[in-house]
Amino acid sequence: MPSSRRPHAALAGALALPLLLAGCGGSVEVGIPPAADSPACTAAAERWPTDVSGLEPRETPPSSPAIKARGDPAVVARCGMPAMPPTEEQCVVVDGIGWVAEDLGDGARLTTFGRDPAIEVIVPEEHGPGPLLLPAFSAAVKELPTNDYTCS
């Protein structure tokens, strides 16, 4: 099986997150991922967590079942992102699910690895280390088909 320790394609464009956070409990504007309407994301959306570290739900215009936001600043989860290609980035396993973390300076982007489509979770630094929130998303991620990639 291919692993995460291979040269990777440029991810910046494919994983760019159009995200505008409105403060004080307002809405969180996000871009709808390319495969948000896929059957896999429809199934995953039925398994979004009802609790993420006690954070309150936020509105996400445009509205999509494939997108959930909680807290202020918002933890944003999006299903329907392109599957990650092989990468040399660090891959962590949480609840048997591979995730690749990217430091955003003021938080982290965590993207499922070995799932197609992928789920991306943006965790602002105010909510602590991103991997600590990932177990809440495990049920949703497990609805996504796997591909040939695994964390090594």
Side-chain angles (χ1 to χ4, degrees), residues 39-47 115 119 138-146:
C41 284
T42 299
E46 292 175 8
R47 304 294 304 255
R115 304 287 171 152
I119 286 180
S138 294
V141 174
K142 289 178 180 178
E143 294 295 324
L144 303 178
T146 59

Side-chain angles (χ1 to χ4, degrees), residues 11-37:
L11 297 177
L15 297 178
L17 174 65
L19 181 69
L20 175 61
L21 301 179
C24 302
S27 62
V28 180
E29 294 182 36
V30 298
I32 295 178
D37 292 332

Side-chain angles (χ1 to χ4, degrees), residues 19-90:
L19 181 69
L20 175 61
L21 301 179
C24 302
S27 62
V28 180
E29 294 182 36
V30 298
I32 295 178
D37 292 332
S38 70
C41 284
T42 299
E46 292 175 8
R47 304 294 304 255
W48 282 130
T50 56
D51 181 54
V52 177
S53 196
L55 300 172
E56 292 295 319
R58 299 273 302 272
E59 293 295 319
T60 58
S63 180
S64 168
I67 302 169
K68 290 295 175 191
R70 292 182 164 275
D72 187 10
V75 171
V76 177
R78 303 191 306 161
C79 183
M81 299 302 292
M84 291 196 72
T87 180
E88 292 181 357
E89 300 300 320
Q90 180 180 1

